[in-house]
Amino acid sequence: MKKYVDVYKQCMYSAIQTASAYRMNFIVSSLITLIGNILFPLVTLLIYRAGTSFPGWSLYEVLLIQSIFTMSSGLSSLVFGGLLWTTMSHVREGSFEVILLKPLNPLFYIVATTFSVESVGLFLGGAALFIFSALHIGAISALAWLQFTGMFLAGTAVLAGLSLMMAAMSFKWVGNSRISELADSVLHIGKYPLPIFPKAVQAAATLIIPVGMVGYLPASALLGRVQAGDFIAILPCFIFLWVGIWVYRHMIRLYEGVGG
């Protein structure tokens, strides 16, 4: 275990050093990533300024959901952001065999070497919006903060599991570069209050592909709106991550070289 910790720390250090050496590239990349993810809060602001709203949710409560979603996305991208494209690139070029020959778990090696420093800007941007929104929703109890922490980590596990599943597809379906767009379409559900969707969508977003845990449920915890049954949704999140890891490792065994 110590070997893996030391390797990951060294990879993080190398990524930070690279970002320091190419500061302008780091700044521009971080800004582009951040700008691309703050469009939804701006749309939400325009919706409320136009006199419409999401029933039962104030502007700052919806912004709270979207800020938590952005923070979770930033944290997931920081650790797993390069997994899909790196796996796909190695499979296409026929260089994944080199990774298999290294004295490390292949999944760990790719995750460690693709540590995405640029995603720090996305996380910090989400954190700034989170603080701004939280200051406008009233006092938050210590229990609410504890519930929020558990649900936030569960939501991040969902994003990690989704990244693993998409990357795993590359071993057999090399031309799947558009799969991330499909995943983004599903994830958009997590940026809004779940009660505005049909019951079937709500059930799917909490138990099957638990994207509701990425933004809505952690925000509900801070707002004191969670029910006892909502905590059941935490379990599917970590099952989703476990399935993602299992699928990725299974697909490695099915890898047959260039072109899948």
Side-chain angles (χ1 to χ4, degrees):
M1 178 61 72
K2 184 179 182 299
K3 178 181 74 171
Y4 282 90
V5 173
D6 290 341
V7 169
Y8 195 81
K9 285 169 59 178
Q10 186 60 46
C11 289
M12 288 178 59
Y13 177 76
S14 298
I16 294 171
Q17 288 294 98
T18 301
S20 300
Y22 301 96
R23 296 182 182 87
M24 185 54 65
N25 179 68
F26 167 72
I27 293 172
V28 172
S29 298
S30 298
L31 287 175
I32 291 174
T33 303
L34 178 59
I35 292 172
N37 284 269
I38 63 173
L39 294 179
F40 270 89
L42 292 177
V43 171
T44 301
L45 181 60
L46 291 174
I47 290 173
Y48 277 82
R49 287 290 176 88
T52 56
S53 64
F54 297 105
W57 292 80
S58 70
L59 169 63
Y60 296 109
E61 290 171 347
V62 177
L63 289 178
L64 184 70
I65 294 175
Q66 295 175 350
S67 66
I68 294 171
F69 185 97
T70 303
M71 286 196 301
S72 189
S73 297
L75 183 59
S76 175
S77 296
L78 194 69
V79 181
F80 297 95
L83 182 62
L84 171 60
W85 307 112
T86 301
T87 301
M88 189 182 301
S89 176
H90 279 299
V91 172
R92 283 178 174 174
E93 296 172 5
S95 57
F96 199 84
E97 289 85 348
V98 178
I99 294 177
L100 295 176
L101 292 173
K102 294 184 180 297
L104 288 171
N105 179 285
L107 175 56
F108 171 80
Y109 176 81
I110 293 179
V111 170
T113 54
T114 57
F115 183 79
S116 178
V117 183
E118 292 82 2
S119 297
V120 170
L122 178 60
F123 178 81
L124 294 178
L129 181 59
F130 174 78
I131 294 171
F132 172 77
S133 303
L135 291 175
H136 291 83
I137 63 172
I140 302 173
S141 67
L143 178 59
W145 280 111
L146 183 61
Q147 294 171 343
F148 162 76
T149 302
M151 289 183 168
F152 178 79
L153 293 176
T156 304
V158 172
L159 296 177
L162 191 59
S163 295
L164 286 162
M165 291 182 191
M166 290 190 297
M169 293 181 186
S170 301
F171 290 103
K172 280 297 179 181
W173 299 282
V174 181
N176 66 349
S177 58
R178 314 289 293 192
I179 192 67
S180 60
E181 297 178 12
L182 179 61
D184 287 340
S185 299
V186 175
L187 288 173
H188 284 332
I189 296 173
K191 296 181 179 181
Y192 298 102
L194 281 188
I196 70 174
F197 297 102
K199 294 292 185 181
V201 175
Q202 294 182 42
T206 52
L207 298 175
I208 302 176
I209 305 179
V211 294
M213 190 64 76
V214 183
Y216 168 71
L217 286 174
S220 297
L222 291 178
L223 296 169
R225 297 185 180 183
V226 289
Q227 306 297 323
D230 292 332
F231 294 99
I232 298 176
I234 293 178
L235 181 59
C237 295
F238 290 102
I239 292 177
F240 198 79
L241 174 60
W242 177 82
V243 170
I245 295 173
W246 182 86
V247 170
Y248 191 94
R249 297 179 67 179
H250 177 71
M251 294 301 284
I252 287 178
R253 291 196 291 271
L254 299 180
Y255 173 63
E256 298 175 349
V258 181

